[in-house]
């Protein structure tokens, strides 16, 4: 999800559900619009990011670690707001530290979390092998790139979403532990980081008691966070939750 305004969000479905962006009305609790990205495919979409002019849809799901067709679709906000079918520019990428593409569920080359930061896109990996997250960067221009590996973070769980506050001073990483058949979700708050070195600042972990597979997160105004889970887990219907994280920052 990404924040659109005080009454609506933009969101997408998981892989195999079509290359579409949905405008979700928070007040009426319904989908207002369904916008098709006509030159894109939803192999395994995992996150949305945005800047002033564009939305970035990350086709970066890589559950078995074998994909060589990872993409981020760059979509004009102006077109998204005014049309029901739009085209995207395409950013293709790979990981510089991946050498093996043999299918396996235990690897460190899936990504479900992307944010926009100044002139770059930041990607945070979902490491099934060591339960860390790796921070990569990519240019925002269409083209084919090898992502730049910057740092690692001891997330102690699987990272499934990321968001950045309007003032660029707080980054949230959503994730969960899998404990048998139970999900134990959490949010990492990263803040007071120097010169964009986001893992070198302060961090705080918020643990939740929901048994649900949380997958999506975005900042609204100020320090308000919206987050949501898949409907198929925990026997819960789909909800969008909201929390003010300002009291947790110190």
């Amino acid at each position: 999800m990404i924040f659109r305004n005080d009454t609506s969000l933009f969101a997408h479905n998981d892989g195999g559900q079509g290359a579409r962006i949905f405008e979700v009305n928070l007040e009426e609790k319904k989908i207002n619009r369904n916008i098709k990205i006509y030159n894109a495919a939803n192999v395994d979409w995992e996150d949305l990011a945005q800047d002033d002019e564009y939305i970035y849809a990350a086709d970066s799901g890589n559950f078995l670690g074998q994909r060589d067709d990872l993409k981020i679709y760059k979509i004009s906000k102006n077109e998204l707001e005014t049309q029901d079918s739009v085209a995207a520019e395409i950013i293709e990428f790979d990981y510089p530290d991946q050498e093996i593409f043999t299918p396996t569920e235990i690897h460190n080359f899936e990504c479900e979390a992307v944010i926009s930061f100044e002139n770059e896109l930041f990607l945070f990996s979902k490491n099934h092998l060591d339960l860390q997250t790796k921070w990569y960067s990519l240019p925002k221009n269409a083209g084919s790139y090898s992502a730049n590996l910057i740092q690692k973070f001891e997330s102690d769980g699987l990272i499934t979403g990321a968001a950045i506050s309007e003032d660029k001073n707080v980054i949230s990483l959503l994730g969960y532990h899998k404990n048998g058949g139970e999900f134990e979700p959490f949010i990492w708050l990263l803040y007071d980081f120097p010169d964009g070195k986001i893992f070198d600042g302060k961090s705080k972990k918020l643990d939740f008691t929901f048994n649900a597979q949380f997958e999506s997160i975005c900042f609204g105004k100020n320090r308000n966070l919206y987050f949501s889970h898949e409907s198929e887990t925990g026997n819960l219907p789909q909800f969008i939750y909201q929390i003010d994280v300002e009291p947790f920052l110190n």
Side-chain angles (χ1 to χ4, degrees):
M1 304 184 298
I2 53 173
F3 186 73
R4 179 171 175 264
N5 55 41
D6 289 330
T7 61
S8 63
L9 306 172
F10 280 128
H12 69 76
N13 271 335
D14 207 342
Q17 300 296 315
R20 296 181 178 274
I21 302 291
F22 301 94
E23 182 189 313
V24 180
N25 188 303
L26 294 171
E27 293 183 334
E28 299 179 8
K29 301 178 178 61
K30 68 177 186 179
I31 293 173
N32 278 354
R33 298 174 61 224
N34 178 341
I35 305 114
K36 181 180 180 180
I37 315 304
Y38 65 77
N39 66 332
N42 184 349
V43 177
D44 195 359
W45 286 20
E46 292 291 357
D47 206 3
L48 291 177
Q50 66 176 324
D51 56 27
D52 291 340
E53 297 184 72
Y54 295 95
I55 283 175
Y56 303 87
D59 193 350
S60 55
N62 192 23
F63 181 65
L64 295 177
Q66 87 283 22
R67 287 187 63 184
D68 59 3
D69 60 346
L70 301 171
K71 296 179 178 67
I72 295 177
Y73 293 106
K74 180 179 179 180
I75 306 158
S76 163
K77 276 188 174 180
N78 181 60
E79 293 183 7
L80 200 67
E81 292 284 359
T82 58
Q83 303 176 33
D84 292 328
S85 181
V86 303
E89 300 177 57
I90 300 174
I91 302 168
E92 300 177 319
F93 72 96
D94 59 30
Y95 300 111
D97 51 331
Q98 183 174 12
E99 298 178 352
I100 298 173
F101 292 83
T102 305
T104 175
E105 295 183 11
I106 308 300
H107 64 91
N108 290 337
F109 298 100
E110 185 164 31
C111 174
E112 299 187 0
V114 180
I115 64 171
S116 168
F117 191 92
E118 296 179 353
N119 295 321
E120 296 179 297
L121 296 173
F122 289 170
L123 286 64
F124 303 96
S125 65
K126 181 183 183 182
N127 287 16
H128 299 270
L129 182 61
D130 61 20
L131 301 184
Q132 298 179 348
T133 188
K134 293 182 286 185
W135 165 26
Y136 298 89
S137 69
L138 280 174
K140 289 183 175 180
N141 297 322
S144 182
Y145 305 95
S146 188
N148 180 31
L149 176 57
I150 302 174
Q151 276 184 294
K152 294 182 181 180
F153 179 69
E154 296 285 348
S155 53
D156 192 28
L158 301 174
I159 298 302
T160 59
I164 186 167
S165 61
E166 283 187 308
D167 60 11
K168 308 295 185 184
N169 291 331
V170 184
I171 291 172
S172 63
L173 300 179
L174 179 70
Y176 59 81
H177 299 273
K178 192 73 179 294
N179 186 6
E182 301 288 311
F183 291 94
E184 300 174 350
F186 57 81
I187 294 174
W188 279 102
L189 299 175
L190 311 175
Y191 56 105
D192 287 353
F193 37 81
D195 298 325
K197 295 292 185 181
I198 58 178
F199 293 158
D200 291 345
K202 296 179 181 178
S203 62
K204 178 160 291 191
K205 187 184 180 192
L206 309 180
D207 291 300
F208 295 89
T209 58
F210 305 103
N211 174 26
Q213 186 174 350
F214 279 86
E215 293 276 349
S216 181
I217 192 166
C218 69
F219 271 100
K221 296 292 184 182
N222 301 316
R223 299 286 193 260
N224 285 313
L225 271 177
Y226 297 88
F227 53 104
S228 186
H229 55 72
E230 296 192 350
S231 63
E232 63 201 34
T233 59
N235 297 315
L236 292 173
Q238 289 167 307
F239 287 100
I240 295 175
Y241 300 86
Q242 182 179 358
I243 183 174
D244 179 7
V245 299
E246 182 67 36
F248 301 101
L249 306 175
N250 55 54

